[in-house]
Amino acid sequence: MTVCNMTIEGGARAGMIAPDETTFAYLEGRSFVPRGKAFQEAVERWSCFKSDGSAHFDMKVELQASRLLRKSLGAPIPAWSQA
């Protein structure tokens, strides 16, 4: 979900990443999410949200998050951030 937000902030008009089991586990039991059988039916519908197997992409980007430097903001001014 964060990556989708970053896509929009980068100037895209839409950002979508197909939901996976981690996403479904995160959603289960949360407010405004169906429960019980209705949740399982929703997961079946949500599982259809993915790219077609024959979809063409201009670019594929893979990131190794473990190799990225962490940044944390200590204040609301980006210049004050610390690596």
Side-chain angles (χ1 to χ4, degrees), residues 17-19 22 49 56 63 74:
I17 296 176
T22 302
F49 299 153
H56 171 76
L63 302 174

Side-chain angles (χ1 to χ4, degrees), residues 7-31:
T7 302
I8 305 306
E9 290 169 6
R13 292 182 182 239
M16 193 210 80
I17 296 176
D20 59 8
E21 292 304 317
T22 302
T23 305
F24 302 141
Y26 172 81
L27 290 172
E28 190 170 17
R30 294 193 169 269
S31 300

Side-chain angles (χ1 to χ4, degrees), residues 43-60:
V43 167
E44 288 179 27
R45 287 191 314 275
W46 297 333
S47 295
C48 295
F49 299 153
K50 57 186 173 188
S51 300
D52 293 335
S54 61
H56 171 76
F57 299 94
D58 292 334
M59 181 187 328
K60 180 177 179 177

